[in-house]
Amino acid sequence: MAFEKTFAMLKPGILQRRIVGDVIRRLEHKGLRIQALKLMNITPELAAQHYAEHKGKPFYDPLIEYMTSGPVIAMVLAGEHATHQLRKICGATNPDEAAPGTIRGDYSEKMNRNVIHASDSPESAAREIALFFKPEEIIEYEDEHAKWIV
Ligand code: CMP
């Protein structure tokens, strides 16, 4: 098993819906360790860099507009196979297919309002973390409970 960092972003609307605590609780209860967390507005430039792979797709422009429409919460999470674990907790990208009990399955109805972004690979995670966080903003710390979780 590989202990790794991954990246998550709670999308616009998360604060207005008052579900930040619920979503983060699920990530923590799974055992993911928060190493960085930032409430921020993202610029169109940052959104474009983050979603560069989707440029040209029909949903790209509305996606950028939505992602810059309100504050987001960006996070670095660490754990064993953290990228895989996080994506499982989030559920399928399309909330229509996301299982009940997953974040998207429980909190979203539409693909373009799917509540949370999760990196799709450790390589994407490294790229996305570097876009959102300076190295000194990522806090590594001892976790004496880790032996009970991982
Ligand atoms: P996310 O994990 O943030 O990555 C790209 C986002 O584009 C995705 O979640 C969805 O919110 C959004 N999106 C909207 N329409 C589509 C689509 N048809 N296919 C994939 N992603 C879409």
Side-chain angles (χ1 to χ4, degrees):
M1 296 276 268
F3 191 87
E4 64 189 28
K5 293 184 198 308
T6 197
F7 176 77
M9 178 166 40
L10 312 189
K11 297 186 178 184
I14 193 94
L15 290 142
Q16 293 85 343
R17 294 178 65 192
R18 272 72 169 177
I19 58 173
V20 170
D22 288 347
V23 172
I24 292 179
R25 176 184 54 78
R26 291 172 182 228
L27 307 177
E28 285 192 293
H29 282 188
K30 180 67 183 174
L32 292 165
R33 193 185 303 187
I34 298 171
Q35 291 190 334
L37 189 150
K38 196 188 283 188
L39 174 64
M40 61 191 289
N41 286 305
I42 58 177
T43 61
E45 292 72 27
L46 178 55
Q49 282 180 291
H50 178 68
Y51 283 123
E53 67 181 289
H54 297 303
K55 193 166 171 57
K57 295 181 184 170
F59 60 87
Y60 177 79
D61 288 342
L63 176 64
I64 300 299
E65 193 177 330
Y66 163 58
M67 292 302 298
T68 55
S69 67
V72 304
I73 295 177
M75 281 184 280
V76 176
L77 301 164
E80 298 287 347
H81 285 182
T83 302
H84 176 70
Q85 297 295 348
L86 173 63
R87 285 182 70 83
K88 276 175 62 179
I89 303 170
C90 291
T93 305
N94 186 346
D96 263 352
E97 289 157 21
T102 63
I103 293 169
R104 289 168 176 155
D106 289 351
Y107 290 110
S108 59
E109 286 187 337
K110 292 185 184 161
M111 178 83 103
N112 58 4
R113 294 288 184 274
N114 65 354
V115 176
I116 185 167
H117 167 82
S119 303
D120 63 8
S121 66
E123 294 71 30
S124 299
R127 187 184 76 82
E128 293 170 357
I129 289 169
L131 282 176
F132 283 81
F133 292 98
K134 299 179 189 138
E136 63 269 25
E137 292 176 321
I138 300 167
I139 312 295
E140 310 227 357
Y141 52 91
E142 286 300 313
D143 181 359
E144 57 275 16
H145 296 290
K147 68 179 180 187
W148 303 109
I149 297 169
V150 298

